[in-house]
Amino acid sequence: MNIYPTIFALHLLAATVWTGGHLVLALTVLPRALRQRNPQVLLDFEQGYEKLGMPALAIQVASGLWMALQLVPDWEQWFSPTTGMERSIALKLALLGSTALIAAHARLRVIPRLSASTLPLMAWHVAAVTLLSVGFVLAGITFRYGGL
Ligand code: HEM
């Protein structure tokens, strides 16, 4: 039985949670927290969203790598891309690496010291991860057209 459509559907659903959630965070919650100079507004949203966001990201990585393996079985090619599909996969991996680095820095260095004065620094981290999440969606669409 071909499970690719099911995995693809899971990938799309989890994408709505990851990218949609970050757009809500960056465009509605963050401006309010900055206006009120109140980091608690951000922490309250994160505490709720995290329970959905982290499993969604895990689904993205697992389903994305599985689909990438179906499309380009020779995974070593992902790291020295020569075709459009290989370049699209390489871009996805670069977006994933950047997201992991920025999220880890926020969690380990910014959030433990979050205050009204460090809120702008946190805002840059949120903006960066949100832009990367939109990048994931745009990179995903390129596969339909033979890749980059
Ligand atoms: C949070 C992270 C991610 C988001 C939001 C995301 C989003 C998307 C979206 C929206 C599509 C569908 C585009 C369409 O309708 O044609 C897609 C396709 C795809 N994504 Fe992701 N993605 C993420 C992570 C990944 C990762 C880590 C990989 C692994 C390399 C990956 C591999 C793929 C592949 C191979 C496709 C093409 C499926 C096909 O057209 O058959 N994605 N992605």
Side-chain angles (χ1 to χ4, degrees), residues 14 17-18 22 46 48-60:
V17 172
W18 183 259
H22 278 86
E46 291 262 0
Y49 173 64
E50 202 168 62
K51 296 188 186 73
L52 214 55
M54 293 320 284
L57 185 61
I59 290 171
Q60 287 309 85

Side-chain angles (χ1 to χ4, degrees), residues 4 8 11-12 15 18-19 57 60-61 64-65 67-68 71 89 92-93 96 133 136-137 140-141 143-144:
Y4 195 97
F8 191 24
H11 196 74
L12 281 182
W18 183 259
T19 304
L57 185 61
Q60 287 309 85
V61 174
L65 291 175
M67 290 191 296
L71 296 171
I89 294 170
K92 285 271 190 176
L93 295 175
L96 184 63
S133 75
F136 271 119
V137 173
I141 294 168
F143 288 95
R144 283 181 187 230

Side-chain angles (χ1 to χ4, degrees), residues 91-92 95 131-143 148:
L91 176 57
K92 285 271 190 176
L95 292 167
L131 282 175
L132 290 167
S133 75
V134 172
F136 271 119
V137 173
L138 300 178
I141 294 168
T142 65
F143 288 95
L148 283 168

Side-chain angles (χ1 to χ4, degrees), residues 33-142:
L34 289 166
R35 251 195 332 274
Q36 298 173 10
R37 293 176 54 76
N38 178 5
Q40 198 55 43
V41 171
L42 205 61
L43 294 174
D44 289 348
F45 177 86
E46 291 262 0
Q47 263 147 26
Y49 173 64
E50 202 168 62
K51 296 188 186 73
L52 214 55
M54 293 320 284
L57 185 61
I59 290 171
Q60 287 309 85
V61 174
S63 60
L65 291 175
W66 184 86
M67 290 191 296
L69 264 179
Q70 310 311 303
L71 296 171
V72 181
D74 182 2
W75 60 268
E76 285 168 10
Q77 282 304 117
W78 302 354
F79 303 96
S80 51
T82 55
T83 68
M85 290 302 229
E86 291 166 4
R87 279 190 289 274
S88 291
I89 294 170
L91 176 57
K92 285 271 190 176
L93 295 175
L95 292 167
L96 184 63
S98 312
T99 299
L101 282 178
I102 295 166
H105 186 260
R107 180 167 293 277
L108 301 172
R109 304 298 302 269
V110 184
I111 291 173
R113 302 184 184 86
L114 196 56
S115 67
S117 60
T118 60
L119 200 48
L121 177 63
M122 184 61 190
W124 283 113
H125 286 71
V126 170
V129 172
T130 304
L131 282 175
L132 290 167
S133 75
V134 172
F136 271 119
V137 173
L138 300 178
I141 294 168
T142 65

